[in-house]
């Protein structure tokens, strides 16, 4: 009795780990590109506003190379003022206190934000 269906199943079983691995690697690359921060979900309603850098703490980069920046930004949504900290990528030039930042925040949770760009003075 020939069992042809076993050949197909074993072929699919050999492909599945590769497909899962390739998809997993794609997700890893996407998150790495976004500094391992999960962006807003597509169904999240967001708005943009301007924020001001109120503090900038510099530290040494990995293995003493370069520097890291942790900025504190302040922005207002309706009657509430939000003060948030954000570690910047080493690729971003040093930011000065008083600089303006364009951010996108979640309407239902204004403390959830991402930086869209830095505005020229």
């Amino acid at each position: 009795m020939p069992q042809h269906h076993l050949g197909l199943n074993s072929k699919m079983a050999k492909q599945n780990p590769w497909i899962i691995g390739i998809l997993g690697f794609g997700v890893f690359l996407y998150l790495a590109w976004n500094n391992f921060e999960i962006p807003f979900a597509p169904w999240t309603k967001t708005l943009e506003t301007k924020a001001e850098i109120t503090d900038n703490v510099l530290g040494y980069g990995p293995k003493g190379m370069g520097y890291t920046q942790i900025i504190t930004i302040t922005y207002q949504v309706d009657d509430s003022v939000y003060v948030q900290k954000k570690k910047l990528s080493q690729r971003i030039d040093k930011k000065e206190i008083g600089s303006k930042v364009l951010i996108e925040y979640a309407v239902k949770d204004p403390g959830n934000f991402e930086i869209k760009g830095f505005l020229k003075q």
Side-chain angles (χ1 to χ4, degrees), residues 66-121:
Y67 58 89
T68 60
Q69 301 180 75
I70 299 175
I71 61 171
T72 303
I73 62 169
T74 304
Y75 58 98
Q76 184 171 350
V77 176
D78 297 326
D79 294 334
S80 300
V81 175
Y82 293 86
V83 178
Q84 303 283 356
K85 291 184 184 278
K86 178 76 169 177
K87 183 178 181 181
L88 300 181
S89 166
Q90 285 188 306
R91 294 176 273 170
I92 297 175
D93 294 334
K94 183 177 182 287
K95 298 300 172 192
E96 300 295 327
I97 293 174
S99 298
K100 303 291 184 202
V101 181
L102 181 64
I103 64 166
E104 181 179 20
Y105 65 91
V107 172
K108 291 186 177 182
D109 180 16
N112 183 8
F113 74 97
E114 68 180 38
I115 293 176
K116 300 304 284 182
F118 296 93
L119 306 174
K120 294 188 178 187
Q121 300 289 21

Side-chain angles (χ1 to χ4, degrees), residues 1 3 6 28 46 51 53 56 79 99:
M1 292 183 166
Q3 303 237 345
L6 287 178
F28 172 79
T46 62
I53 297 176
N56 186 357
D79 294 334
S99 298

